[in-house]
Amino acid sequence: MNRPKLQLTHRSLVSIMLATMLLLAASHQPKGDLFSKGSPVGDSRSWAVALADLDEDGDLDALVANATGGSKLWINDGNAAFAEHEQRLPNARAAQLADIDGDSSPDILLADWSGPFLVWRNNRDGTFSEVPQDQQFGGAIDMALADLDGDGDLDAVLGRSGPDVILLNNGFGVFTDTGQRLGTSISAEVELGDMDLDGDMDVVVDGWDGDGHVWLNDGAAMFSSNYPLTGPDWHVNGLALGDLDDDGDLDALLVSSLYDSHQVWLNNGAGLLVDSGQRLDAPDGYGAQLGDLDNDGDLDAVVIVGGEPRIGIAVWMNHEGRFVSVHIEAEEALGRDVALGDLDSDGDLDVFAAFLEYRGGFQPRPNRIWLNSLY
């Protein structure tokens, strides 16, 4: 018996392609709740968190900057269970883990609002040794690291209540003040990235009085202000950079406080960030991170939020450059910072969030982990 030949029209082909795309997208969506809450970590007035493999066992450990009781190192067992390291560290409100001496192991950097900028070298035997600095740099609210002068090592920008400071690394973890000062306002967040696609690292800052800037690098760590970032009445607590619209340049998620909506600003490729009009609603934001939470190839957003009512984290998924709220997780505390990484070694990005409490003053509060349920 002769069977009729299957005739596929252009419309049929388009319908099949769309259905296939929807099925593939659905296969990448997390099943059930997006995150499950893990165990609490510590109980301090925590302000910042950084992740790296400190003991070279293949999983991510944590450095938490605490305002009281000393900053802490937390060693991961590979399943997101963290044990406190014996290393004693001072109080701080900004923290980074990065290789500052070229030995491929993460070192410790801390800064505080009223204390000095401090560095500890990883001895690769489970201990860390302080690297004396020739100069003292204090009063930092935030810091960011990148190779600013093109010599192959990581330099630092300190975001301060006042002019920001550029520090150059000698390759062994000793930093020198260039004397250059950026801005005059309170820089709540500093991020570094190649904003104008010229091959060097630029500085993006924003802060509590809304006087943000993109500072363009000439390739030798000399910066010129290119564009203002926000208006004069917008109180910004957090900032994250990433390619949000898949056009090859770095855009910005600006996290607002005082119950204003968070905003997405898009880069024109030359470092000019323009308000896209997107508004992400969640109260009183602080830290923010961008990462591919659902493994679909684009950057999603996690913001740690506080205010009233207290809310722990808010998550938005990126759908072709538009963000959709998918998860808000309550935590009766004031969130300050958030980091993304695969904490339980299952191949997806989890959340480590730094918390404190405010009851007439800042009080201790356990940090929290949320585990991604994608896999």
Side-chain angles (χ1 to χ4, degrees):
M1 181 176 64
N2 293 328
R3 299 179 183 272
K5 294 183 178 179
L6 181 62
Q7 299 293 325
L8 293 179
T9 65
H10 176 72
R11 180 176 295 178
S12 299
L13 287 170
V14 170
S15 298
I16 291 171
M17 291 173 64
L18 287 173
T20 302
M21 291 171 65
L22 289 172
L23 286 172
L24 289 172
S27 69
H28 283 83
Q29 295 301 313
K31 299 174 177 60
D33 292 335
L34 182 61
F35 289 100
S36 61
K37 189 178 290 187
S39 301
V41 180
D43 188 12
S44 300
R45 288 165 49 188
S46 300
W47 288 81
V49 58
L51 301 176
D53 184 3
L54 294 170
D55 54 0
E56 301 183 4
D57 65 349
D59 55 43
L60 291 177
D61 310 301
L63 166 64
V64 178
N66 297 321
T68 56
S71 301
K72 306 289 186 183
L73 295 175
W74 296 93
I75 303 302
N76 189 353
D77 69 351
N79 297 303
F82 288 83
E84 185 179 342
H85 190 278
E86 63 184 11
Q87 183 84 35
R88 301 278 73 87
L89 298 169
N91 298 335
R93 287 178 174 83
Q96 291 285 350
L97 291 172
D99 178 15
I100 49 83
D101 57 1
D103 67 353
S104 301
S105 61
D107 306 300
I108 298 169
L109 300 97
L110 293 172
D112 200 5
W113 291 357
S114 57
F117 169 78
L118 299 170
V119 178
W120 281 264
R121 179 178 291 113
N122 189 335
N123 298 320
R124 309 188 75 168
D125 60 1
T127 65
F128 297 81
S129 299
E130 186 172 357
V131 180
Q133 301 296 307
D134 295 335
Q135 299 172 284
Q136 292 295 315
F137 326 103
I141 296 173
D142 191 32
M143 67 172 151
L145 305 175
D147 183 4
L148 300 177
D149 55 359
D151 65 352
D153 55 40
L154 294 178
D155 309 302
V157 179
L158 301 184
R160 304 167 71 238
S161 178
D164 303 325
V165 176
I166 308 298
L167 306 179
L168 297 184
N169 186 354
N170 70 350
F172 300 97
V174 177
F175 290 80
T176 301
D177 186 355
T178 66
Q180 189 176 185
R181 298 293 183 264
L182 305 182
T184 59
S185 60
I186 301 175
S187 298
E189 187 83 12
V190 178
E191 294 290 337
L192 305 178
D194 184 3
M195 301 301 296
D196 54 359
L197 302 179
D198 65 349
D200 54 39
M201 302 302 286
D202 309 304
V203 178
V204 184
V205 298
D206 218 323
W208 295 336
D209 57 4
D211 186 21
H213 289 279
V214 177
W215 298 88
L216 294 183
N217 190 347
D218 68 355
M222 294 299 295
F223 295 88
S224 60
S225 177
N226 188 25
Y227 303 108
L229 189 52
T230 60
D233 299 322
W234 192 27
H235 189 97
V236 176
N237 274 335
L239 165 68
L241 300 179
D243 185 1
L244 302 179
D245 55 0
D246 197 29
D247 66 349
D249 54 36
L250 292 176
D251 310 302
L253 171 63
L254 301 179
V255 178
S256 66
S257 180
L258 306 179
Y259 306 99
D260 293 323
S261 298
H262 317 309
Q263 299 185 9
V264 175
W265 288 49
L266 299 179
N267 191 343
N268 71 343
L272 171 63
L273 290 168
V274 179
D275 184 0
S276 72
Q278 282 198 73
R279 298 295 181 263
L280 311 184
D281 291 324
D284 208 14
Y286 290 89
Q289 287 290 328
L290 299 170
D292 187 1
L293 299 175
D294 53 359
N295 285 0
D296 66 348
D298 55 31
L299 294 176
D300 311 302
V302 177
V303 176
I304 189 165
V305 292
E308 297 292 348
R310 300 292 193 210
I311 296 176
I313 58 169
V315 180
W316 291 267
M317 307 307 289
N318 188 341
H319 294 283
E320 297 182 351
R322 302 296 299 181
F323 287 88
V324 178
S325 177
V326 297
H327 188 98
I328 294 180
E329 180 75 31
E331 177 69 21
E332 294 297 319
L334 179 62
R336 290 300 313 181
D337 193 25
V338 63
L340 300 180
D342 185 5
L343 302 178
D344 54 0
S345 307
D346 67 349
D348 53 32
L349 292 178
D350 309 303
V351 175
F352 193 121
F355 282 94
L356 45 76
E357 182 59 280
Y358 186 83
R359 296 189 301 272
F362 293 119
Q363 305 293 330
R365 189 75 180 185
N367 302 306
R368 300 301 315 210
I369 289 169
W370 280 273
L371 298 177
N372 193 332
S373 63
L374 180 61
Y375 297 124

